[in-house]
Structures are given as C-alpha cells and as structure tokens.
Amino acid sequence: MKINIEKHLKKQNKSRYWLSKETGISDGLFTSLAKGRLSNITLKTAYKIAKALNVKIDDLIEED
C-alpha cells in the first residue's frame, strides 16, 4: 500500500511545492512519499493533503 499524491497533483496541474505551501507540510515529506521511502503518514497529514487536493483520504491510498 502506498500514498499517491502525484497522480492527483498531475490531474490538477499542481506541484509538490504548491501542496507544501497550501498545507504547511514540508516538501521533503512529499518527496519521500513520491519516491516510496515513506508509506505511512498521520491521519491529520492525510486530511490536510486530501483537503488541499479536494479528494477523499481513501483516494490517496493505492495498493502496490
């Protein structure tokens, strides 16, 4: 299972930098998620990401 924000960013033509500014979460965290080095995040973090991207939290989760 992985957290995939990249496909949602691409659909909306937005960057990880934009998401970082929008959520107040470090770009480093998004880079780690994108490269598969991190696969779990807190519910609070997932909520911030989902809200910024206007998706449901479960839309961020994908099975490998």
Side-chain angles (χ1 to χ4, degrees):
M1 189 176 320
K2 68 179 186 174
I3 309 298
N4 188 348
I5 58 171
E6 291 297 317
K7 79 174 187 180
H8 298 289
L9 288 171
K10 285 181 183 181
K11 280 183 187 178
Q12 298 178 29
N13 199 29
K14 295 182 179 172
S15 67
R16 288 193 305 247
Y17 177 79
W18 171 86
L19 188 57
S20 177
K21 293 297 181 190
E22 193 71 19
T23 60
I25 299 168
S26 77
D27 184 49
L29 179 106
F30 299 128
T31 300
S32 293
L33 286 170
K35 294 187 177 194
R37 290 184 278 189
L38 181 64
S39 62
N40 58 1
I41 57 176
T42 66
L43 187 55
K44 183 177 180 179
T45 299
Y47 175 77
K48 286 181 180 181
I49 294 168
K51 185 176 178 185
L53 293 172
N54 198 31
V55 299
K56 296 177 185 175
I57 290 175
D58 55 333
D59 292 336
L60 299 175
I61 301 168
E62 291 187 355
E63 293 195 37
D64 291 340

